[in-house]
């Protein structure tokens, strides 16, 4: 019998996160203070982040132990399965072997709890009583709401308005876990009011929602801000995905020729990619890493590699990253988690160094791949994840043409059960293809 799933027991789950910073081909350019444009110091970040996470952001330790309290919560859903997509392979008539790491089994339905639980733990440990954050499609907001509930923290979420309206049940999910959720831009902050004064009908963006969440955090006692992607410590926490995948592939004697993930800020792609990138940087293995973006918001393919703010109001440090500009408001595509103007500095550096590549697709092509995946593998996936599936389908078709038996691994980063409105639009022929707009 050909097995479809490769499983790890709870005892086999990795107990460390991998920190790629000491292994990068060159050091990351330092974040700059938004006012002085000088490299930020730890004390500059103290109003926003707790000391433990500031330390992780700049750590030079290659491996960082996962705290026992975090591992205990991880075990609610981890280790996640590695699945061989045999039915998809058959439908594509490809000799490629396709594997996906299914992160949709988490309580929040995505990879996001891997860092949400860690961030809530460290905030609780350092005395924080309340966390604020932004969310696009709601996957990150729901993950943090759940994590805050586990550790007894209050949680306030600024949800990008277009997603707030498109995905009402994501709001309900966050509120079920005890969070307060507001559409962004809102009238609760100066940043939000300034945007609404210029554009009362603003669709919002992650850059705006970040501005609101940071302003709320720094002006409210005992509060800190939590980010769901982009920063080094966020990608660090997500490496549990790739560390598990390596162990699972070793069990069956496989190693990927291609690793694929969708990218908005870069956390889920980084999570599966970076543990394998360690092998590539050491010269032990070689593979292609493919970051997949929406055409409507493609920071790697269309952005500039330069210093930019992470938010509209210029509250964040400037990061050296691929960016479309902090004032860029992406079109209202359904992949709300990919509607961000910038890219994680780590992913940006790897792309600039030629160690990974990028591809971009329109909405209808992405949903076509998602429907194919649902009709072969059974899982209805998030619009964000569907970008990765589209790239996998294209690579598998190339293998069908060449006869190459490549091993393709991708991160199936979340389910799409709360995205059925988008599927309805696609299936009824009403889903628009949206191009990048400046």
């Amino acid at each position: 019998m050909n097995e479809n799933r490769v499983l790890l027991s709870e005892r086999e789950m990795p107990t460390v996160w991998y920190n790629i910073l000491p292994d990068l081909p060159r050091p990351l350019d330092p974040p700059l203070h938004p006012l002085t444009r000088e490299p930020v110091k730890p004390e500059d970040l103290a109003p926003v982040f707790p000391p433990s996470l500031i330390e992780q952001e700049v750590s030079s330790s290659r491996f960082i132990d996962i705290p026992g309290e975090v591992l205990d919560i991880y075990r609610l859903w981890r280790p996640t399965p590695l699945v061989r997509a045999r039915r998809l392979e058959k439908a594509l008539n490809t000799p490629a072997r396709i594997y996906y790491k299914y992160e949709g089994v988490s309580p929040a339905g995505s990879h996001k709890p891997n860092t949400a639980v860690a961030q809530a733990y460290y905030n609780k440990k350092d005395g924080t009583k309340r966390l604020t954050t932004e969310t696009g499609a709601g996957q990150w907001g729901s993950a943090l709401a759940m994590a805050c509930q586990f550790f007894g923290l209050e949680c306030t979420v600024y949800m990008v308005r277009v997603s707030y309206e498109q995905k009402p049940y994501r709001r309900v999910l966050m509120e079920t876990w005890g969070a307060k959720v507001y559409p962004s831009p809102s009238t609760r902050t100066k940043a939000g009011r300034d945007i609404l004064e210029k554009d009362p009908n603003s669709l919002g963006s992650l850059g705006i929602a970040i501005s609101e969440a940071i302003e709320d955090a720094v002006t409210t006692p005992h509060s800190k801000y939590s980010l769901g992607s982009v920063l080094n410590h966020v990608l660090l926490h997500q490496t549990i995905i790739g560390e598990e995948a390596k162990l699972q592939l070793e069990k069956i004697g496989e190693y990927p020729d291609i690793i694929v993930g969708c990218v908005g800020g870069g956390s889920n792609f980084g999570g599966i990619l970076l543990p394998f990138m360690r092998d590539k940087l050491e010269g032990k293995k070689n593979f292609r890493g493919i970051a997949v973006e929406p055409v409507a918001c493609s920071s790697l393919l269309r952005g500039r590699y330069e210093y930019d703010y992470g938010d509209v109001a210029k509250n964040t440090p400037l990061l050296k990253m691929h960016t479309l500009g902090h004032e860029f408001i992406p079109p209202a595509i359904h992949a709300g988690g990919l509607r961000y103007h910038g890219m994680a500095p780590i992913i940006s550096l790897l792309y600039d160094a030629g160690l990974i590549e990028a591809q971009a697709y329109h909405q209808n092509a992405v949903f076509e791949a998602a429907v194919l995946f649902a009709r072969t593998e059974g899982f209805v996936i998030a619009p964000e994840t569907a970008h990765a599936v589209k790239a996998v389908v294209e690579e598998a078709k190339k293998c069908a043409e060449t006869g190459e038996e490549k091993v393709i691994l991708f991160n199936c980063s979340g389910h799409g059960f709360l995205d059925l409105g988008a599927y309805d639009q696609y299936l009824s022929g009403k889903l628009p293809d949206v191009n990048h707009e400046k």
Side-chain angles (χ1 to χ4, degrees):
M1 181 182 70
N2 291 323
E3 294 186 1
N4 290 321
R5 297 193 301 164
V6 184
L7 304 176
L8 298 175
S9 70
E10 291 181 20
R11 293 177 181 174
E12 294 175 290
M13 184 170 68
T15 58
V16 295
W17 294 304
Y18 168 57
N19 176 24
I20 197 172
L21 293 184
D23 294 333
L24 289 173
R26 63 177 187 267
L28 289 179
D29 294 280
L32 303 182
H33 193 284
L35 297 179
T36 66
R37 299 266 178 146
E38 295 294 323
V40 296
K41 303 173 183 176
E43 55 266 30
D44 296 327
L45 299 174
V48 181
F49 299 111
S52 297
L53 293 179
I54 295 173
E55 181 180 345
Q56 286 188 354
E57 184 68 14
V58 297
S59 174
S60 59
S61 298
R62 185 167 283 106
F63 295 98
I64 294 176
D65 290 336
I66 305 174
E69 294 92 329
V70 174
L71 287 171
D72 286 344
I73 296 175
Y74 276 1
R75 291 189 183 100
L76 291 173
W77 72 93
R78 304 210 73 87
T80 61
L82 181 75
V83 185
R84 173 83 179 268
R86 295 183 186 275
R87 295 176 66 86
L88 178 62
E89 293 170 8
K90 184 177 180 180
L92 297 172
N93 194 28
T94 180
R97 298 189 293 282
I98 302 171
Y99 295 91
Y100 61 92
K101 193 81 165 99
Y102 189 53
E103 292 294 298
V105 297
S106 79
S110 76
H111 68 292
K112 292 293 188 179
N114 298 327
T115 186
V117 170
Q119 291 190 48
Y121 164 78
Y122 286 114
N123 272 280
K124 180 73 172 183
K125 172 176 167 285
D126 289 348
T128 304
K129 295 182 179 179
R130 173 177 175 266
L131 285 175
T132 68
T133 196
E134 78 297 323
T135 195
Q139 289 185 339
W140 165 242
S142 56
L144 190 66
M146 179 188 75
C148 284
Q149 188 62 224
F150 286 147
F151 289 102
L153 301 174
E154 295 179 36
C155 182
T156 297
V157 181
Y158 291 89
M159 186 173 185
V160 176
R161 182 175 295 275
V162 64
S163 292
Y164 184 93
E165 295 171 352
Q166 287 175 341
K167 308 172 193 296
Y169 293 112
R170 278 286 175 191
R171 170 185 56 79
V172 175
L173 189 59
M174 288 181 263
E175 292 174 343
T176 299
W177 277 314
K180 295 179 180 178
V181 187
Y182 302 98
S184 173
S186 75
T187 58
R188 289 175 49 81
T189 66
K190 182 180 183 302
R193 291 190 295 272
D194 287 348
I195 293 294
L196 290 172
E197 185 177 345
K198 296 177 183 176
D199 181 8
N201 298 314
S202 173
L203 298 173
S205 70
L206 284 166
I208 295 171
I210 291 170
S211 293
E212 293 206 86
I214 291 178
E215 180 183 329
D216 187 340
V218 300
T219 57
T220 306
H222 309 295
S223 296
K224 297 292 183 185
Y225 167 69
S226 185
L227 186 64
S229 191
V230 179
L231 296 179
N232 301 339
H233 68 267
V234 181
L235 273 64
L236 169 77
H237 301 153
Q238 293 294 354
T239 58
I240 183 104
I241 302 171
E243 293 294 341
E244 285 183 4
K246 289 186 79 171
L247 293 174
Q248 288 162 316
L249 288 171
E250 285 173 7
K251 280 193 170 190
I252 55 175
E254 294 274 45
Y255 196 91
D257 297 296
I258 302 172
I259 299 175
V260 182
C262 64
V263 288
S267 70
N268 94 83
F269 181 52
I272 198 165
L273 172 79
L274 299 185
F276 292 94
M277 185 58 68
R278 179 170 73 244
D279 299 339
K280 187 170 185 174
L281 292 171
E282 292 175 355
K284 295 178 179 178
K285 297 285 186 178
N286 194 22
F287 58 85
R288 290 171 59 208
I290 304 176
V292 192
E293 307 178 299
V295 166
C297 188
S298 178
S299 59
L300 288 175
L301 289 172
R302 296 176 181 266
R304 296 181 179 180
Y305 189 37
E306 62 188 16
Y307 273 104
D308 194 14
Y309 299 94
D311 71 318
V312 171
K314 304 180 183 180
N315 290 327
T316 67
L318 291 98
L319 301 176
K320 182 71 174 293
M321 60 183 178
H322 283 85
T323 176
L324 296 167
H326 61 276
E327 294 184 339
F328 177 73
I329 306 297
I333 58 172
H334 281 279
L338 306 185
R339 294 179 69 249
Y340 186 60
H341 67 272
M343 184 57 60
I346 288 173
I347 301 299
S348 294
L349 186 150
L350 293 174
Y351 181 71
D352 186 66
L355 291 166
I356 59 173
E357 59 194 82
Q359 297 173 4
Y361 297 102
H362 282 105
Q363 281 198 121
N364 277 285
V366 163
F367 273 90
E368 179 184 23
V371 169
L372 173 63
F373 192 78
R375 292 178 180 178
T376 53
E377 295 299 312
F379 290 109
V380 177
I381 54 176
E384 294 82 3
T385 308
H387 286 72
V389 171
K390 171 61 177 174
V392 168
V393 167
E394 293 305 311
E395 293 300 324
K397 286 180 178 178
K398 292 177 185 177
C399 290
E401 295 172 358
T402 64
E404 295 176 284
E405 297 183 9
K406 291 184 177 179
V407 175
I408 303 173
L409 171 67
F410 75 96
N411 194 8
C412 195
S413 55
H415 69 61
F417 298 154
L418 297 178
D419 300 288
L420 293 179
Y423 277 87
D424 184 34
Q425 277 195 286
Y426 171 74
L427 293 170
S428 61
K430 298 177 181 178
L431 187 68
D433 275 335
V434 187
N435 288 313
H436 173 90
E437 298 174 357
K438 291 189 177 181

